[in-house]
mmCIF file of all heavy atoms in Angstrom:
data_model
loop_
_atom_site.group_PDB
_atom_site.id
_atom_site.type_symbol
_atom_site.label_atom_id
_atom_site.label_comp_id
_atom_site.label_asym_id
_atom_site.label_seq_id
_atom_site.Cartn_x
_atom_site.Cartn_y
_atom_site.Cartn_z
ATOM 1 N N ASP A 26 46.594 15.182 23.260
ATOM 2 C CA ASP A 26 48.028 15.398 23.121
ATOM 3 C C ASP A 26 48.820 14.575 24.130
ATOM 4 O O ASP A 26 50.038 14.456 24.005
ATOM 5 C CB ASP A 26 48.369 16.878 23.323
ATOM 6 C CG ASP A 26 47.857 17.754 22.200
ATOM 7 O OD1 ASP A 26 47.797 17.262 21.053
ATOM 8 O OD2 ASP A 26 47.510 18.920 22.467
ATOM 9 N N PHE A 27 48.132 14.035 25.129
ATOM 10 C CA PHE A 27 48.822 13.347 26.218
ATOM 11 C C PHE A 27 48.404 11.883 26.279
ATOM 12 O O PHE A 27 47.658 11.458 27.151
ATOM 13 C CB PHE A 27 48.539 14.055 27.553
ATOM 14 C CG PHE A 27 48.910 15.517 27.529
ATOM 15 C CD1 PHE A 27 47.943 16.492 27.683
ATOM 16 C CD2 PHE A 27 50.223 15.897 27.333
ATOM 17 C CE1 PHE A 27 48.282 17.833 27.654
ATOM 18 C CE2 PHE A 27 50.577 17.242 27.306
ATOM 19 C CZ PHE A 27 49.603 18.212 27.464
ATOM 20 N N SER A 28 48.901 11.131 25.323
ATOM 21 C CA SER A 28 48.650 9.692 25.294
ATOM 22 C C SER A 28 49.626 9.005 26.234
ATOM 23 O O SER A 28 50.508 9.636 26.829
ATOM 24 C CB SER A 28 48.810 9.148 23.874
ATOM 25 O OG SER A 28 50.185 9.193 23.505
ATOM 26 N N ILE A 29 49.509 7.702 26.352
ATOM 27 C CA ILE A 29 50.420 6.947 27.213
ATOM 28 C C ILE A 29 51.831 6.907 26.624
ATOM 29 O O ILE A 29 52.797 6.566 27.308
ATOM 30 C CB ILE A 29 49.881 5.525 27.457
ATOM 31 C CG1 ILE A 29 50.547 4.908 28.696
ATOM 32 C CG2 ILE A 29 50.063 4.645 26.223
ATOM 33 C CD1 ILE A 29 49.890 3.642 29.178
ATOM 34 N N ASP A 30 51.973 7.276 25.346
ATOM 35 C CA ASP A 30 53.294 7.327 24.715
ATOM 36 C C ASP A 30 53.933 8.710 24.824
ATOM 37 O O ASP A 30 55.038 8.918 24.346
ATOM 38 C CB ASP A 30 53.187 6.939 23.237
ATOM 39 C CG ASP A 30 52.794 5.488 23.072
ATOM 40 O OD1 ASP A 30 53.515 4.626 23.601
ATOM 41 O OD2 ASP A 30 51.765 5.216 22.433
ATOM 42 N N ASN A 31 53.207 9.656 25.438
ATOM 43 C CA ASN A 31 53.748 11.005 25.612
ATOM 44 C C ASN A 31 53.608 11.380 27.080
ATOM 45 O O ASN A 31 52.561 11.839 27.517
ATOM 46 C CB ASN A 31 52.990 12.000 24.723
ATOM 47 C CG ASN A 31 53.471 13.419 24.936
ATOM 48 O OD1 ASN A 31 54.575 13.651 25.431
ATOM 49 N ND2 ASN A 31 52.644 14.392 24.589
ATOM 50 N N ILE A 32 54.670 11.133 27.847
ATOM 51 C CA ILE A 32 54.642 11.431 29.276
ATOM 52 C C ILE A 32 55.478 12.684 29.512
ATOM 53 O O ILE A 32 56.704 12.620 29.645
ATOM 54 C CB ILE A 32 55.194 10.244 30.098
ATOM 55 C CG1 ILE A 32 54.426 8.963 29.781
ATOM 56 C CG2 ILE A 32 55.136 10.549 31.587
ATOM 57 C CD1 ILE A 32 52.957 8.998 30.170
ATOM 58 N N PRO A 33 54.845 13.852 29.550
ATOM 59 C CA PRO A 33 55.600 15.099 29.714
ATOM 60 C C PRO A 33 55.872 15.380 31.192
ATOM 61 O O PRO A 33 55.276 14.772 32.082
ATOM 62 C CB PRO A 33 54.648 16.144 29.130
ATOM 63 C CG PRO A 33 53.285 15.608 29.483
ATOM 64 C CD PRO A 33 53.400 14.100 29.398
ATOM 65 N N PHE A 34 56.758 16.302 31.446
ATOM 66 C CA PHE A 34 57.025 16.755 32.809
ATOM 67 C C PHE A 34 56.842 18.258 32.871
ATOM 68 O O PHE A 34 57.251 18.982 31.963
ATOM 69 C CB PHE A 34 58.446 16.374 33.237
ATOM 70 C CG PHE A 34 58.667 14.888 33.351
ATOM 71 C CD1 PHE A 34 59.230 14.172 32.310
ATOM 72 C CD2 PHE A 34 58.286 14.206 34.493
ATOM 73 C CE1 PHE A 34 59.421 12.802 32.400
ATOM 74 C CE2 PHE A 34 58.472 12.831 34.592
ATOM 75 C CZ PHE A 34 59.041 12.125 33.551
ATOM 76 N N GLY A 35 56.229 18.720 33.941
ATOM 77 C CA GLY A 35 56.002 20.142 34.110
ATOM 78 C C GLY A 35 55.800 20.480 35.569
ATOM 79 O O GLY A 35 55.971 19.637 36.455
ATOM 80 N N VAL A 36 55.436 21.729 35.826
ATOM 81 C CA VAL A 36 55.167 22.198 37.186
ATOM 82 C C VAL A 36 53.777 22.816 37.199
ATOM 83 O O VAL A 36 53.463 23.666 36.365
ATOM 84 C CB VAL A 36 56.224 23.223 37.639
ATOM 85 C CG1 VAL A 36 55.842 23.846 38.977
ATOM 86 C CG2 VAL A 36 57.590 22.556 37.741
ATOM 87 N N CYS A 37 52.950 22.363 38.138
ATOM 88 C CA CYS A 37 51.553 22.792 38.189
ATOM 89 C C CYS A 37 51.130 23.070 39.629
ATOM 90 O O CYS A 37 51.781 22.656 40.584
ATOM 91 C CB CYS A 37 50.620 21.716 37.621
ATOM 92 S SG CYS A 37 51.012 21.170 35.949
ATOM 93 N N SER A 38 50.009 23.755 39.745
ATOM 94 C CA SER A 38 49.328 23.893 41.028
ATOM 95 C C SER A 38 47.834 23.852 40.751
ATOM 96 O O SER A 38 47.394 23.944 39.602
ATOM 97 C CB SER A 38 49.726 25.183 41.749
ATOM 98 O OG SER A 38 49.321 26.322 41.008
ATOM 99 N N PHE A 39 47.044 23.720 41.817
ATOM 100 C CA PHE A 39 45.601 23.511 41.659
ATOM 101 C C PHE A 39 44.833 24.402 42.625
ATOM 102 O O PHE A 39 44.084 23.934 43.478
ATOM 103 C CB PHE A 39 45.269 22.031 41.888
ATOM 104 C CG PHE A 39 46.233 21.099 41.211
ATOM 105 C CD1 PHE A 39 47.258 20.500 41.936
ATOM 106 C CD2 PHE A 39 46.157 20.863 39.855
ATOM 107 C CE1 PHE A 39 48.175 19.666 41.321
ATOM 108 C CE2 PHE A 39 47.071 20.033 39.228
ATOM 109 C CZ PHE A 39 48.083 19.427 39.957
ATOM 110 N N PRO A 40 45.002 25.733 42.509
ATOM 111 C CA PRO A 40 44.407 26.648 43.486
ATOM 112 C C PRO A 40 42.890 26.646 43.495
ATOM 113 O O PRO A 40 42.279 26.812 44.550
ATOM 114 C CB PRO A 40 44.953 28.015 43.062
ATOM 115 C CG PRO A 40 45.323 27.855 41.611
ATOM 116 C CD PRO A 40 45.783 26.443 41.485
ATOM 117 N N LYS A 41 42.256 26.441 42.328
ATOM 118 C CA LYS A 41 40.788 26.441 42.298
ATOM 119 C C LYS A 41 40.227 25.292 43.108
ATOM 120 O O LYS A 41 39.233 25.433 43.822
ATOM 121 C CB LYS A 41 40.291 26.377 40.851
ATOM 122 C CG LYS A 41 40.560 27.647 40.057
ATOM 123 C CD LYS A 41 39.947 27.579 38.664
ATOM 124 C CE LYS A 41 40.187 28.865 37.902
ATOM 125 N NZ LYS A 41 39.596 28.818 36.537
ATOM 126 N N GLU A 42 40.873 24.124 43.004
ATOM 127 C CA GLU A 42 40.432 22.984 43.791
ATOM 128 C C GLU A 42 40.703 23.214 45.267
ATOM 129 O O GLU A 42 39.936 22.824 46.140
ATOM 130 C CB GLU A 42 41.133 21.710 43.317
ATOM 131 C CG GLU A 42 40.734 21.280 41.916
ATOM 132 C CD GLU A 42 41.368 19.959 41.536
ATOM 133 O OE1 GLU A 42 41.329 19.032 42.355
ATOM 134 O OE2 GLU A 42 41.908 19.859 40.417
ATOM 135 N N ASP A 43 41.831 23.883 45.569
ATOM 136 C CA ASP A 43 42.191 24.150 46.956
ATOM 137 C C ASP A 43 41.145 25.043 47.609
ATOM 138 O O ASP A 43 40.791 24.886 48.769
ATOM 139 C CB ASP A 43 43.570 24.822 47.005
ATOM 140 C CG ASP A 43 44.190 24.779 48.394
ATOM 141 O OD1 ASP A 43 43.765 23.920 49.189
ATOM 142 O OD2 ASP A 43 45.072 25.598 48.685
ATOM 143 N N GLU A 44 40.628 26.024 46.838
ATOM 144 C CA GLU A 44 39.647 26.948 47.368
ATOM 145 C C GLU A 44 38.274 26.313 47.531
ATOM 146 O O GLU A 44 37.515 26.643 48.432
ATOM 147 C CB GLU A 44 39.529 28.168 46.434
ATOM 148 C CG GLU A 44 40.806 28.987 46.358
ATOM 149 C CD GLU A 44 40.761 30.001 45.244
ATOM 150 O OE1 GLU A 44 39.720 30.061 44.545
ATOM 151 O OE2 GLU A 44 41.757 30.726 45.048
ATOM 152 N N SER A 45 37.940 25.350 46.663
ATOM 153 C CA SER A 45 36.591 24.796 46.651
ATOM 154 C C SER A 45 36.450 23.505 47.431
ATOM 155 O O SER A 45 35.346 23.041 47.686
ATOM 156 C CB SER A 45 36.151 24.543 45.200
ATOM 157 O OG SER A 45 37.017 23.603 44.585
ATOM 158 N N ASN A 46 37.582 22.879 47.802
ATOM 159 C CA ASN A 46 37.526 21.586 48.469
ATOM 160 C C ASN A 46 38.119 21.691 49.862
ATOM 161 O O ASN A 46 39.308 21.515 50.078
ATOM 162 C CB ASN A 46 38.294 20.533 47.652
ATOM 163 C CG ASN A 46 38.141 19.129 48.223
ATOM 164 O OD1 ASN A 46 37.423 18.916 49.200
ATOM 165 N ND2 ASN A 46 38.820 18.177 47.609
ATOM 166 N N ASN A 47 37.283 21.981 50.821
ATOM 167 C CA ASN A 47 37.752 22.130 52.195
ATOM 168 C C ASN A 47 38.019 20.789 52.853
ATOM 169 O O ASN A 47 38.632 20.728 53.915
ATOM 170 C CB ASN A 47 36.712 22.894 53.035
ATOM 171 C CG ASN A 47 36.554 24.318 52.553
ATOM 172 O OD1 ASN A 47 37.522 24.946 52.124
ATOM 173 N ND2 ASN A 47 35.336 24.842 52.603
#
Side-chain angles (χ1 to χ4, degrees):
D26 291 328
F27 304 116
S28 70
I29 199 168
D30 293 303
N31 177 20
I32 304 296
F34 294 97
V36 173
C37 305
S38 64
F39 316 100
K41 291 185 178 180
E42 293 185 46
D43 196 21
E44 296 169 1
S45 61
N46 186 3
N47 295 325

